[in-house]
Amino acid sequence: MNASTTASTTALAVGSEEPLSPGYDAATKDDAEFNELFQHGFTTIDDVQMHYVVGGDGPQVMVLLHGWPQSWYEYRQVLPSLLPGRTVIAIDLPGLGDSTGNPSSRAKAVLAAYVHKLLVHLGHLENVRIVAHDFGVSVAYPLAAQYREQIAGLFLMDYGLTGKNLKFAAIESMFWHFSFNKQRPLAEELVTGRVETFLTHFFQGMRTAGENISADELAEFVRLYSRPQVLHAGFELYRTEIQDEADNTKFQETPLTIPVRMITQAGLADMVLPPLQDAAPHATSADVPGAGHFLLHEAPDRVLAEINAFYPNPTA
């Protein structure tokens, strides 16, 4: 990642509102490469000011959705390589990152509606290619299921899609943080003031091999999840999983026909494929040998190669 020690050159995207989130450019204001290629933007959708990062003006529109406990910034390392021939938009999910406000519900079908409306506001009504990781996947699926004319493909990373045949209870028993994060308000009370300790432990525990997130990335995620609203919103993602499971089961009655692919950490591709095919019968999957959950940090070159193979660049 290229960084500069010069004064901030951060600019807001055309039509952007003034940000409600202080320090939104803490990780990018001195990042010369970022400021040359990307801009921050803010748009109020219903009761939430949505934050996004946008770059490029190519004909292929690619939207990036992040997981927990991260933000759009988990894509920083690969963003420039995605640009040629594309318009790339990395979104902070409603209430997370530098988005500000409380969505009407944390159910992923509702969060998907916010993303849909933001993309409509930005003029992207069709042929949108989605890239999503972790909880971003849980938003990407209802986005595609509810707004079929808008979404042209789903490239997904390391997430088990609940619904007809995969139940949240089965996943919850596999990972300690699923049960912990559901505890309201205990999780917030225990982690407040200890965000760095909590996130450091979490990231280290989820890494299988390869590189862990960098100190700069950790600092950015600590900044964001130290915002009380964001800490609460992140835990709420887990507290609506039963509703998400029910919503997905309903959506799966009308299978997706768009291309869908999932890549996973080592050893999980075969496990996540059957429930994914409940949603998209022709979906495919592959794992990344030696990698853990945070694929964008541990295997960025493989992720880029997979994205470009799934969404061929129109200028290549």
Side-chain angles (χ1 to χ4, degrees), residues 37-224:
L37 298 173
F38 291 90
Q39 294 179 313
H40 293 271
F42 295 85
T43 297
T44 296
I45 302 298
D46 298 334
D47 47 355
V48 174
Q49 187 184 68
M50 297 280 289
H51 171 240
Y52 59 93
V53 163
V54 59
D57 57 4
Q60 186 180 99
V61 178
M62 180 174 289
V63 171
L64 315 179
L65 302 178
H66 66 86
W68 180 91
Q70 299 176 284
S71 69
W72 77 268
Y73 197 65
E74 74 165 302
Y75 290 98
R76 171 61 189 90
Q77 188 172 351
V78 302
L79 278 179
S81 298
L82 293 173
L83 272 187
R86 296 181 174 123
T87 299
V88 177
I89 306 167
I91 296 175
D92 275 341
L93 295 176
L96 293 165
D98 283 300
S99 293
T100 299
N102 294 305
S104 57
S105 168
R106 306 292 177 179
K108 310 312 178 295
V110 174
L111 301 187
Y114 282 86
V115 174
H116 160 71
K117 291 178 182 180
L118 175 62
L119 294 176
V120 169
H121 176 84
L122 296 177
H124 305 302
L125 280 65
E126 58 184 6
N127 294 324
V128 174
R129 275 80 169 176
I130 300 293
V131 175
H133 174 236
D134 187 72
F135 267 110
V137 175
S138 71
V139 176
Y141 171 58
L143 178 65
Q146 294 177 103
Y147 309 104
R148 294 173 182 249
E149 65 287 340
Q150 187 176 42
I151 307 304
L154 297 179
F155 179 87
L156 312 173
M157 289 179 281
D158 212 57
Y159 188 85
L161 188 68
T162 60
K164 178 181 177 182
N165 288 311
L166 179 61
K167 304 304 181 182
F168 176 65
I171 303 175
E172 183 178 8
S173 64
M174 297 172 63
F175 302 102
W176 67 268
H177 65 282
F178 277 60
S179 297
F180 176 84
N181 291 0
K182 285 173 56 182
Q183 305 307 309
R184 182 195 298 121
L186 182 63
E188 286 90 335
E189 292 177 354
L190 291 178
V191 176
T192 296
R194 305 177 182 90
V195 172
E196 184 171 3
T197 299
F198 179 71
L199 294 188
T200 298
H201 174 81
F202 178 78
F203 284 124
Q204 290 177 345
M206 294 291 285
R207 184 174 67 88
T208 300
E211 294 297 323
N212 204 352
I213 68 167
S214 70
D216 288 345
E217 289 165 331
L218 177 62
E220 174 64 357
F221 300 140
V222 169
R223 177 186 73 83
L224 292 168

Side-chain angles (χ1 to χ4, degrees), residues 141 145 148 250-256 279:
Y141 171 58
R148 294 173 182 249
K250 183 68 174 178
F251 293 141
Q252 288 168 0
E253 293 177 4
T254 307
L256 296 178

Side-chain angles (χ1 to χ4, degrees), residues 130 137 140-141 144 151-156 161 255-263 273 276-277 279-285 310-311:
I130 300 293
V137 175
Y141 171 58
I151 307 304
L154 297 179
F155 179 87
L156 312 173
L161 188 68
L256 296 178
T257 57
I258 58 175
V260 177
R261 181 165 177 78
M262 173 85 74
I263 63 171
L273 184 58
L276 183 61
Q277 289 179 332
H282 301 293
T284 63
S285 68
F310 187 69
Y311 297 132

